[in-house]
Amino acid sequence: MNSDEVFDAISHPMRVEILKELANGPKGFADLKRKLKISSSGLLDFHLKKMASIVTTNADGSYILNDRGFAAVQAVDVVARYGWQRRSYFINVGMYIVMNVYLFLTIQHWAVLIVFGIWTAWIVFYSYWTFIKRRVRLRNNGESKTRPER
Amino acid sequence: MNSDEVFDAISHPMRVEILKELANGPKGFADLKRKLKISSSGLLDFHLKKMASIVTTNADGSYILNDRGFAAVQAVDVVARYGWQRRSYFINVGMYIVMNVYLFLTIQHWAVLIVFGIWTAWIVFYSYWTFIKRRVRLRNNGESKTRPER
DNA sequence: AAGCGTGGTCAATGTTTCTTGACTTGCTGG
DNA sequence: CCAGCAAGTCAAGAAACATTGACCACGCTT
């Protein structure tokens, strides 16, 4: 999926508003105009045209998001929600440790090894995903401050 | 986190390139210039200034991403990777079913109920997250086609 | 001390994007 | 049958963005 187009389509505050409106279901032209308090039809038309790569129309002519549109909704979400991934990682790993220790102590059965093995594989993959691919950091690195204005 | 600024900062192909470069570690000015094959210093300066909300400098003056910058990296990733979420959902649920049936048949022990209970809770939450919050769809809904050019 | 590399700034200009407001077309209720 | 609304289109101007190229200051090295 070519992301340039998608980010172009959501790089204006009004378009992000439109995206959020459409994430809640199909909306007609006048409907969007009212909800976003846009006085000019031309303006809404302009922005809808800029969003052509993520918005389509359904059978009755209402605007809806296509797959890339929903991807865009998620992108907005990810940006708004960044910081929680660290926490959910610790919850996940904590659960892994507690549950496996518990199972080992309570059940003496070889099948527990299967559960343990698969769960361990999952945690290894999840750690790789979190820290290597998604570059979530345990704490901030040598970041100092924003570039000084001169 | 105000997402408008973040999407503004990555709404140009060159800035996405810069983002990807910086995701691999700190880079100096001339370093970025070489890697991205930019001939003009002014151009790089312009784009780095547009990215001020997601890029900062570290102690030795190299450019690095801040937290919002890494969120942006993820946003790019999410857009590029949309479509895999459906698949990973099915893999996850499939694993849940196979493993629990297997455990029930192999181990006759009440502690299996604990595993089953927690795992079920997780699957319910995961389904909610996937379909309600992230709006991943099992198949396309009444989407017809892109808005016709007139 | 002259030249080179790093790490920029700034003004000017061309290109795009945004916004406004006037206009069109088709349908519907009174 | 015509007023009014939905759903737009389009031209023109203002504002923002992208790019170029000239310039500057510092440190190193030969």
Side-chain angles (χ1 to χ4, degrees):
Chain A
M1 190 176 292
N2 180 2
S3 40
D4 289 348
E5 285 178 61
V6 173
F7 291 118
D8 238 43
I10 56 176
S11 65
H12 188 281
M14 186 176 290
R15 294 203 286 273
V16 174
E17 290 307 305
I18 294 173
L19 182 75
K20 286 178 182 168
E21 251 345 292
L22 293 182
N24 294 323
K27 294 266 183 315
F29 191 92
D31 222 357
L32 279 172
K33 214 153 149 274
R34 260 193 310 278
K35 286 258 187 169
L36 300 177
K37 298 190 175 63
I38 301 172
S39 50
S40 154
S41 294
L43 185 55
L44 180 56
D45 182 52
F46 171 77
H47 285 297
L48 282 174
K49 274 179 180 147
K50 289 239 86 173
M51 295 173 82
S53 67
I54 64 170
V55 167
T56 71
T57 49
N58 66 8
D60 34 86
S62 296
Y63 294 97
I64 59 170
L65 299 179
N66 62 14
D67 266 5
R68 314 172 89 194
F70 283 98
V73 172
Q74 274 190 54
V76 171
D77 224 54
V78 160
V79 169
R81 208 179 296 284
Y82 190 84
W84 275 96
Q85 299 176 329
R86 225 176 302 218
R87 267 159 273 190
S88 65
Y89 178 78
F90 286 121
I91 292 172
N92 229 319
V93 170
M95 177 129 145
Y96 161 76
I97 293 170
V98 169
M99 285 304 294
N100 280 294
V101 166
Y102 176 76
L103 280 180
F104 264 117
L105 296 182
T106 342
I107 313 181
Q108 262 77 42
H109 193 289
W110 58 268
V112 167
L113 284 174
I114 307 266
V115 176
F116 176 71
I118 290 175
W119 206 338
T120 301
W122 159 246
I123 286 289
V124 168
F125 171 75
Y126 179 44
S127 301
Y128 166 75
W129 191 258
T130 301
F131 296 111
I132 309 299
K133 296 303 273 186
R134 300 200 302 188
R135 294 177 189 282
V136 171
R137 289 164 299 167
L138 288 181
R139 49 193 63 258
N140 286 348
N141 57 25
E143 180 176 330
S144 62
K145 50 183 176 294
T146 51
R147 187 174 167 180
E149 299 287 334
R150 291 203 206 161
Chain B
M1 189 176 292
N2 181 2
S3 40
D4 290 348
E5 286 177 62
V6 174
F7 292 118
D8 238 44
I10 56 177
S11 64
H12 187 281
M14 187 178 288
R15 293 203 288 273
V16 174
E17 289 308 305
I18 293 174
L19 182 76
K20 286 177 182 167
E21 252 342 295
L22 293 182
N24 294 325
K27 295 267 182 316
F29 191 92
D31 222 357
L32 279 172
K33 212 153 148 276
R34 258 192 311 279
K35 286 259 184 166
L36 300 177
K37 298 188 174 65
I38 301 172
S39 50
S40 155
S41 293
L43 185 55
L44 179 56
D45 182 52
F46 171 77
H47 286 296
L48 281 174
K49 274 181 181 146
K50 290 239 85 174
M51 295 174 83
S53 67
I54 63 170
V55 167
T56 72
T57 49
N58 67 6
D60 32 84
S62 297
Y63 294 97
I64 58 170
L65 299 179
N66 62 14
D67 266 5
R68 314 171 90 195
F70 283 98
V73 173
Q74 275 190 52
V76 172
D77 223 54
V78 160
V79 169
R81 208 177 298 282
Y82 190 85
W84 275 96
Q85 298 176 330
R86 223 177 302 217
R87 267 158 274 190
S88 66
Y89 178 78
F90 287 121
I91 292 171
N92 229 319
V93 169
M95 177 130 143
Y96 162 76
I97 293 170
V98 169
M99 284 305 293
N100 279 294
V101 167
Y102 177 75
L103 279 180
F104 264 118
L105 296 182
T106 341
I107 313 181
Q108 263 77 42
H109 193 291
W110 57 268
V112 168
L113 284 175
I114 308 263
V115 176
F116 176 71
I118 292 176
W119 206 337
T120 301
W122 159 246
I123 286 290
V124 167
F125 171 74
Y126 180 44
S127 300
Y128 166 76
W129 191 258
T130 300
F131 296 110
I132 308 297
K133 298 301 275 185
R134 300 200 301 187
R135 295 174 187 284
V136 171
R137 289 162 298 166
L138 287 180
R139 49 192 62 259
N140 286 349
N141 57 26
E143 179 176 330
S144 62
K145 51 182 175 294
T146 51
R147 187 174 166 181
E149 299 288 335
R150 289 202 208 162

